[in-house]
Amino acid sequence: MRVLAAMSGGVDSAVAAARAVDAGHDVTGVHLALSRNPQTFRTGARGCCTVEDSRDARRAADVLGIPFYVWDMAERFHADVVDDFVAEYAAGRTPNPCLRCNEKIKFAAVLDRAIALGFDAVVTGHHARLGADGLLRRSVDLPKDQSYVLAVLNRAQLDRSMFPLGDSTKAQVRAEAAERGLGVAEKPDSHDICFIADGDTRGFLESRLGSAPGDIVDSTTGEVVGAHSGAYAYTVGQRKGLGLTVPAPDGRPRYVLSITPKTNTVTVGPASALAVSTVHAARPVWTGLADGVDGPLDCVVQLRAHGETYPARVSVTGGELTAELATPARGVAAGQALVVYRPDPAGDVVLGSGTITHT
C-alpha cells in the first residue's frame, strides 16, 4: 500500500513512519510547514513547525531511507486553525486547536491532497488505535491517549488513516527510536498551543483582539467584583488570575462560571455553581455507529482533553446532541468537544463526538 507519513519532526511521527516501512508499505514522508515564520526556533517543549522541526523530520526520513517533502500549508493553517482559535475566544468559547487541526488540516487538506496524488492512506504518530473493525479506540498508554482529539474525524477519513503507535507506551516509542538510531529519540514533546511558542495565550489573544475592558460580576450578589481587559482571556472553571477586588462573602474562592461577549461580562461564583448535569453539543459525528443515534444511548462521555469520563445517556434531536450525565461535571466549557465512548468495561471505543454549545 502506498502511504504518506506525516512527519512533524518529533519522535512519535518518526517511529510511526518506521513501523509503516517495516509493515511493507511504500512510504513517503511529508513535513507540514504550518508557521508563517518557520525560521523561528522552538524553546524546549514549546512551539512547533520550525526550521528545526523540518530538519529533524528530514534526518529521520534519511535514516528510514524514504522520500521526503515539505508541504507549505501555513496559510490554510492560519485560516482554519489560528483564525478560528481567535474567533472562538472572541465569541466566549474555549476551542481546542489540536482538534481543529486534525479536522481541517491533517485529515482534510493533507488527506485530500494525498489521495489526489495516488496515496492510499495517511500515517500519523497519534496515540490511538484503529481496530480491524475500523473503530477508533483509546491508546494503551492512557496518559498519552489522543482519541479525544481524533473523534471529530468522519468514517471516510478514518478508513484512510493509520495510527501505528496505539499499542505502545510513549516510553516504548522512545526506546524504539533510540534502537533505530533516530536522533529525535529524546526530543521533548511539544506542549501547550503549538502556534503560541511562549505559552502566553492571553498576550496572543490581546495582540489580535485588542483591549476590551469590562466587568467581572458575582453570580450570587450581582455585584461588580473586578474588571478585565478582555473577556477572551477567561475560560469556564478558571480560578487563578481573575484579579478580583471584592472578596466573596464566605471567603471562599470564586471560579469563572460564564462569559457573555454581548455584554462583555465575566460571571464568577462558588465552585458548587460549576456543576452541570446536562451538556448540549452541535455538529455530531458518529464514526462508531453506522446509523447514528436513533434513540437514547447509554454511554461514557469525555468533555475535555485528558479530562474525566462520565456515565451518561445521550440523544440527538434536530441535529443537536444532548448528554444527561449520571454524575455532575465541573468546568464544562463551550467550544470543547463532547466525545462519546462505548460503555463497556474498557470504555475505549469512540462512538462519536460533537462541539459543546451550552450546559
Side-chain angles (χ1 to χ4, degrees), residues 169-194:
T169 66
K170 186 57 177 270
Q172 290 170 331
V173 171
R174 288 196 180 279
E176 181 177 332
E179 292 173 0
R180 291 177 178 274
L182 296 170
V184 292
E186 298 301 325
K187 186 175 180 177
D189 291 337
S190 180
H191 294 296
D192 300 317
I193 300 167
C194 69

Side-chain angles (χ1 to χ4, degrees), residues 32 60 71 101 109 112 155 177 193 225 248 319:
L32 306 181
W71 287 359
C101 182
D112 288 348
R155 182 71 266 155
I193 300 167
V225 295

Side-chain angles (χ1 to χ4, degrees), residues 84-239:
D84 174 81
F85 178 83
V86 174
E88 285 290 283
Y89 266 103
R93 296 183 286 269
T94 305
N96 186 315
C98 294
L99 190 150
R100 194 64 62 232
C101 182
N102 286 333
E103 177 188 16
K104 299 291 188 178
I105 305 298
K106 294 178 182 176
F107 296 94
V110 172
L111 183 58
D112 288 348
R113 183 183 292 188
I115 293 172
L117 292 173
F119 290 95
D120 301 300
V122 168
V123 179
T124 75
H126 286 96
H127 283 262
R129 292 177 291 161
L130 275 175
D133 53 9
L135 296 179
L136 179 64
R137 289 173 166 81
R138 291 190 187 278
S139 165
V140 298
D141 190 345
L142 292 182
K144 293 294 183 181
D145 173 55
Q146 293 175 294
S147 63
Y148 176 89
V149 294
L150 293 170
V152 70
L153 304 183
N154 59 41
R155 182 71 266 155
Q157 291 168 327
L158 286 177
D159 288 343
R160 295 272 196 166
S161 302
M162 297 171 62
F163 308 129
L165 305 187
D167 290 318
S168 300
T169 66
K170 186 57 177 270
Q172 290 170 331
V173 171
R174 288 196 180 279
E176 181 177 332
E179 292 173 0
R180 291 177 178 274
L182 296 170
V184 292
E186 298 301 325
K187 186 175 180 177
D189 291 337
S190 180
H191 294 296
D192 300 317
I193 300 167
C194 69
F195 51 84
I196 306 179
D198 62 2
D200 182 9
T201 301
R202 179 179 294 204
F204 176 85
L205 291 170
E206 186 172 5
S207 70
R208 284 151 178 80
L209 296 173
S211 179
D215 294 330
I216 302 176
V217 178
D218 186 281
S219 65
T220 57
T221 65
E223 180 183 8
V224 175
V225 295
H228 64 77
S229 59
Y232 50 76
Y234 299 82
T235 187
V236 171
Q238 181 177 335
R239 173 186 172 184

